C-alpha cells in the first residue's frame, strides 16, 4: 500500500485458503491476532467480519489462495495487515466490484464493499486472467 513507508513488520503468518474450513481458520487467526494487539471487541468484530468476507471471496471466486497476516508497527503505532491473494480470473472492473449489490455469484454483493466500509483502508489490485490481491490494514 502507498502508506508502507516507515512500516515495520513484527510478525508474519501465512494461511492457505483452499477449503471452506480454511475460511473458518482465517477468521480464527485474525481474531487471535486482534485480541493479542488489544483491539476492542467492536474492532475485533470488524476485523473478523471483513476477513471472513475476503477469505470467502478468495476461496469461492478466486479458486483458492492465501491470507498473509502481518502485525505491523509505524512509529510506535501497531496494526494488523491482511493480504488475500487468489489465483482466479481477476476482477475486470474494481470500482464496480466495490459497489454494494454487485456480485458474480449467488451472494448479496456485500463482500468487497462491506470489507472496505468495515476497515476503511482497503486496496484491490487485480489482473484479468492472473488473480487478485486485496490488502487491508487496521491500526490500533
Amino acid at each position: 500500500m502507498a502508506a508502507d513507508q516507515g512500516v515495520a513488520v513484527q510478525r508474519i503468518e501465512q494461511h492457505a485458503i483452499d477449503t471452506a474450513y480454511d475460511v473458518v481458520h482465517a477468521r480464527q487467526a485474525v481474531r487471535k491476532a486482534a485480541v493479542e494487539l488489544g483491539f476492542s471487541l467492536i474492532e475485533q468484530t470488524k476485523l473478523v467480519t471483513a476477513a471472513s468476507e475476503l477469505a470467502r471471496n478468495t476461496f469461492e471466486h478466486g479458486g483458492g489462495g492465501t491470507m498473509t497476516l502481518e502485525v505491523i508497527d509505524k512509529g510506535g503505532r501497531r496494526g494488523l495487515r491482511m493480504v488475500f491473494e487468489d489465483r482466479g480470473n481477476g476482477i475486470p472492473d474494481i470500482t464496480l466490484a466495490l459497489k454494494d449489490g454487485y456480485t458474480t455469484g449467488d451472494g448479496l454483493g456485500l463482500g468487497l464493499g462491506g470489507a472496505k466500509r468495515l476497515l476503511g483502508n482497503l486496496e484491490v489490485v487485480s489482473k484479468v486472467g492472473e488473480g487478485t490481491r486485496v490488502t487491508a490494514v487496521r491500526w490500533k
Side-chain angles (χ1 to χ4, degrees), residues 23 51-64 86 110-112:
V23 173
S52 181
E53 291 298 327
L54 297 172
R56 187 178 343 274
N57 281 354
T58 299
F59 169 58
E60 291 181 359
H61 302 292
D86 70 45
L110 300 175
L112 281 177

Side-chain angles (χ1 to χ4, degrees), residues 6-67:
V7 173
V9 178
Q10 295 180 333
R11 187 178 81 222
I12 298 176
E13 299 175 16
Q14 193 164 48
H15 302 271
I17 302 177
D18 293 316
T19 68
Y21 175 75
D22 292 337
V23 173
V24 173
H25 183 73
R27 288 173 53 97
Q28 292 168 340
V30 169
R31 180 172 304 281
K32 181 180 176 196
V35 168
E36 288 172 1
L37 283 166
F39 280 100
S40 71
L41 184 57
I42 291 170
E43 292 297 315
Q44 290 173 38
T45 302
K46 289 178 179 181
L47 280 159
V48 170
T49 302
S52 181
E53 291 298 327
L54 297 172
R56 187 178 343 274
N57 281 354
T58 299
F59 169 58
E60 291 181 359
H61 302 292
T66 59
M67 175 187 74

Side-chain angles (χ1 to χ4, degrees), residues 73-93:
D73 183 280
K74 183 174 184 177
R77 188 174 181 209
R78 297 180 78 200
L80 190 60
R81 177 167 44 207
M82 303 178 290
V83 181
F84 295 84
E85 295 181 89
D86 70 45
R87 50 191 174 266
N89 293 326
I91 302 171
D93 187 339

